[in-house]
Amino acid sequence: MSEIEDFQILKDGLDYKFFFNGKWKNSESGKIIPIRNPYNNELVGNIQACTKEEADRIIECARSNIECWNETPIRDRAEILREAAKLMLKWSKPLGSLLMKEIGKPIKSAISEITRTADIFNATADSASQISGETMMGDVFKGFTRETISMTYRVPLGVVLCIGPFNYPFNLTGSKIAPALLAGNSVVMKPPTQGALTPLHFGIILEKVGVPPGVFNIITGRGSEIGDYLTAHPKIDMISFTGSSETGKSLAKMAGMKPLLLELGGKDAAIVLNDANLDLVVKSIISGAFSFSGQRCTAVKRVLPMPNIADKLVENVTESTLKLTVGDPAENNTIGPLISSKQCDYVQGLIDDALEKGATLKCGNKREGNIMWPTILDHVTIDMRVAWEEPFGPVLPFIRVYSAEEAIQISNQSEYGLQGMIFTENIDLAFNIAQELDVGSVQINGKSSRGPDHFPFLGTKSSGLGTQGIKYSIEAMSRPKVVVMNLTEKGKLVRECKFEGN
Ligand code: NAP
Ligand code: G3P
């Protein structure tokens, strides 16, 4: 990757700085956190372990710059987002290559994460004209007349804290930054530690396209060390978080009255009825379960097949799974490393538990370093951990069911409620089952997916709070402001027109 001249400013050698008030800085803590390639353990870079005092200064700076940004015409804010998108497209290859190195994402997916974020910035900019309010007359209610008029428009919430996860570190910080800035907020971004290097480049991009100093800031450091402090900070006005349910629930307790947008874990189940299109199901499951080695919140994490299709489905999925390429993400292998050895240990524990309790191993259960071969477990029962826990790795349990009611019951029994899937040719039945599933979204004859990114995306139960998706995110990062006009008699027109109705 040829170094982009502009990229030099944010680092000294491999020591990346944090971004505050338009400047790149080293932390006064003097501590750095190494970021290593999960595939080969090579050092990719070091990030600053910022202090709580630095957090105070960053947040104060963001707060003091809200007015200047909110008073910038929204058409100008939108144009800035469009210019930022152009830079993301221009730099998608070097940024994608860095992303691949720091989280082990296959190179093509890593580059598409950058271009997808550019699309989000453009679509958010296009939403500028839709940010509007409404006017109402008071004479709907007794005691009020048409001389009482409310005028509503939307205003920013203030300082928005954007916290992203390791698996889409650029896209799932960018999908928060864009609506926050368009709505007129200032932003403090806390990227995931493993995955921080690529989103740090938002500092270069947004500064270059004209976001004023202090409006967009980046703080780095382990969430376990500064996360609670940021969450509870009295001068943070809103938190948009994507990450695990465990962290999200803890954050919600710390956040007090702050408005929250939480996108959390999932255990998306694919219900496969006897009449499903087998080839379509196999293709959807392979892609849905094993893209980025299953490290997606919307990964297919359970398959609930009906009896007449189960055997053939398991065989065909196993056959396709065995064809998946495994290895170096730089060679665009589908299955690459998991994010950490600890995560591999966790996934292995789920596999071991299932096998000890009688599950049938169809393929996989093999590990080299942080690479885990895609594993298919058949005849999984509800006493096994893998039936309920989120692996965030390439392991797929088949839990055989004998009726739609049983499939609905097992699907809804999960603590998660992100997305569900129904595969059948009977669309009426699919729609009726969909209405019974306690999830944010149901895919009929398709794999679970967050995209397209203007669609509403939400989870129930442990999967989240609030709704993401371009216009929904803008609404979540702004609020109505109501001005009520009480006109006086002085200006009133007098005319005789008596309503003779009964
Ligand atoms: P995570 O461990 O919860 O971390 C997510 C983010 O929270 C990171 O930036 C992390 O910082 C930060 N954090 C950690 N502790 C914190 C605290 N006490 N206060 C504030 N922030 C804190 O999740 P992950 O491992 O990065 O991502 C995987 C999880 O995210 C999975 O469960 C997946 O399902 C979920 N996810 C959900 C969606 C969705 O849209 N629903 C999308 C992607 C991922 P550090 O990195 O420094 O720890
Ligand atoms: O886990 C990340 C989540 O946002 C999935 O996105 O587009 O891969 O379904 P997508």
Side-chain angles (χ1 to χ4, degrees):
M1 171 186 81
S2 63
E3 269 300 89
I4 305 288
E5 194 50 45
D6 298 273
F7 290 2
Q8 301 310 317
I9 188 172
L10 62 70
K11 59 185 179 177
D12 284 331
L14 288 179
D15 292 351
Y16 285 71
K17 302 173 182 179
F18 72 97
F19 188 63
F20 163 42
N21 200 20
K23 295 184 178 59
W24 294 97
K25 293 177 170 291
N26 290 317
S27 170
E28 61 200 20
S29 73
K31 293 178 189 162
I32 55 174
I33 303 167
I35 310 300
R36 294 187 175 276
N37 184 328
Y39 174 65
N40 56 24
N41 204 38
E42 280 176 7
L43 181 66
V44 186
N46 302 297
I47 61 169
Q48 305 295 315
C50 291
T51 65
K52 290 174 181 175
E53 293 72 24
E54 285 165 330
D56 287 338
R57 293 200 289 274
I58 290 170
I59 294 167
E60 189 57 52
C61 169
R63 198 163 193 79
S64 62
N65 283 281
I66 292 173
E67 278 65 31
C68 89
W69 180 241
N70 186 38
E71 283 157 14
T72 305
I74 195 167
R75 65 176 178 279
D76 295 345
R77 301 204 293 261
E79 196 49 37
I80 280 173
L81 295 184
R82 292 192 183 95
E83 290 304 311
K86 289 177 188 169
L87 286 180
M88 290 175 211
L89 294 174
K90 176 183 172 186
W91 291 336
S92 62
K93 286 192 172 62
L95 289 173
S97 175
L98 180 60
L99 184 65
M100 173 200 71
K101 289 175 185 169
E102 63 173 332
I103 66 168
K105 184 168 275 190
I107 184 61
K108 283 186 180 173
S109 298
I111 291 170
S112 68
E113 177 172 337
I114 309 299
T115 57
R116 177 179 180 181
T117 310
D119 295 343
I120 288 176
F121 269 63
N122 282 324
T124 302
D126 294 345
S127 303
S129 58
Q130 295 157 22
I131 300 180
S132 61
E134 57 188 345
T135 300
M136 294 180 182
M137 315 303 276
D139 56 344
V140 170
F141 277 80
K142 291 190 187 75
F144 291 93
T145 69
R146 294 174 64 78
E147 278 67 50
T148 301
I149 305 167
S150 78
M151 289 171 281
T152 305
Y153 56 100
R154 296 199 74 84
V155 296
L157 296 176
V159 180
V160 175
L161 173 61
C162 299
I163 302 177
F166 83 83
N167 65 331
Y168 280 82
F170 191 82
N171 182 268
L172 281 171
T173 43
S175 64
K176 299 168 173 53
I177 295 165
L181 291 177
L182 185 76
N185 300 284
S186 57
V187 172
V188 175
M189 178 184 92
K190 206 305 280 181
T193 292
Q194 189 81 28
L197 305 181
T198 315
L200 272 168
H201 289 72
F202 278 121
I204 294 176
I205 291 168
L206 294 173
E207 194 266 338
K208 209 169 182 60
V209 298
V211 174
V215 171
F216 175 74
N217 306 277
I218 308 173
I219 186 168
T220 54
R222 294 195 189 289
S224 55
E225 291 165 13
I226 59 167
D228 287 354
Y229 189 75
L230 292 170
T231 299
H233 201 287
K235 294 188 176 178
I236 289 288
D237 297 298
M238 190 268 177
I239 303 172
S240 181
F241 171 88
T242 299
S244 66
S245 297
E246 181 188 2
T247 307
K249 288 175 181 176
S250 164
L251 180 150
K253 287 190 187 116
M254 301 291 293
M257 288 287 284
K258 294 184 183 76
L260 298 176
L261 185 51
L262 305 179
E263 299 294 345
L264 306 178
K267 188 69 177 179
D268 295 2
I271 297 173
V272 185
L273 304 188
N274 287 321
D275 69 340
N277 174 328
L278 191 59
D279 291 344
L280 171 68
V281 179
V282 172
K283 183 165 169 271
S284 302
I285 285 177
I286 292 297
S287 167
F290 298 124
S291 297
F292 193 29
S293 304
Q295 296 176 106
R296 292 169 52 242
C297 64
T298 50
V300 176
K301 295 179 185 146
R302 300 181 276 171
V303 181
L304 311 179
M306 291 292 198
N308 297 351
I309 198 168
D311 288 343
K312 192 68 180 149
L313 179 62
V314 170
E315 290 314 314
N316 288 15
V317 167
T318 302
E319 186 184 334
S320 297
T321 301
L322 289 167
K323 293 174 185 168
L324 293 173
T325 56
V326 180
D328 188 350
E331 293 164 9
N332 206 46
N333 288 294
T334 302
I335 304 296
L338 297 195
I339 196 64
S340 66
S341 176
K342 182 183 170 199
Q343 187 62 26
C344 291
D345 294 344
Y346 175 74
V347 173
Q348 190 61 56
L350 297 180
I351 296 170
D352 294 346
D353 172 78
L355 296 178
E356 282 159 21
K357 292 175 181 172
T360 304
L361 177 67
K362 300 299 290 183
C363 66
N365 192 23
K366 176 184 172 188
R367 175 181 173 180
E368 282 176 14
N370 285 346
I371 291 199
M372 298 194 79
W373 266 251
T375 299
I376 300 290
L377 297 169
D378 192 7
H379 301 296
V380 169
T381 50
I382 60 173
D383 63 319
M384 300 173 189
R385 288 174 54 201
V386 73
W388 308 109
E389 295 180 31
E390 179 183 46
F392 234 59
V395 57
L396 184 62
F398 282 75
I399 306 170
R400 296 184 179 219
V401 291
Y402 296 90
S403 68
E405 290 72 18
E406 184 186 8
I408 293 165
Q409 193 268 330
I410 290 177
S411 179
N412 287 342
Q413 201 176 327
S414 170
E415 69 163 298
Y416 297 104
L418 194 59
Q419 296 202 353
M421 294 151 275
I422 303 160
F423 291 91
T424 175
E425 300 294 282
N426 182 338
I427 299 305
D428 296 281
L429 177 56
F431 192 77
N432 289 328
I433 294 173
Q435 298 194 79
E436 301 295 320
L437 297 179
D438 184 7
V439 292
S441 321
V442 180
Q443 303 277 356
I444 295 177
N445 289 325
K447 66 176 182 175
S448 38
S449 164
R450 165 167 53 110
D453 290 311
H454 66 305
F455 278 14
F457 182 72
L458 68 155
T460 64
K461 302 186 280 185
S462 293
S463 290
L465 190 61
T467 303
Q468 196 177 269
I470 290 169
K471 79 167 187 176
Y472 301 90
S473 299
I474 294 170
E475 279 176 13
M477 296 175 180
S478 60
R479 66 169 177 81
K481 176 67 174 281
V482 184
V483 177
V484 177
M485 190 76 78
N486 296 283
L487 302 180
T488 61
E489 291 293 318
K490 204 166 43 175
K492 190 171 178 178
L493 293 174
V494 179
R495 64 167 67 87
E496 286 303 316
C497 87
K498 291 278 178 270
F499 177 55
E500 300 300 334
N502 50 22

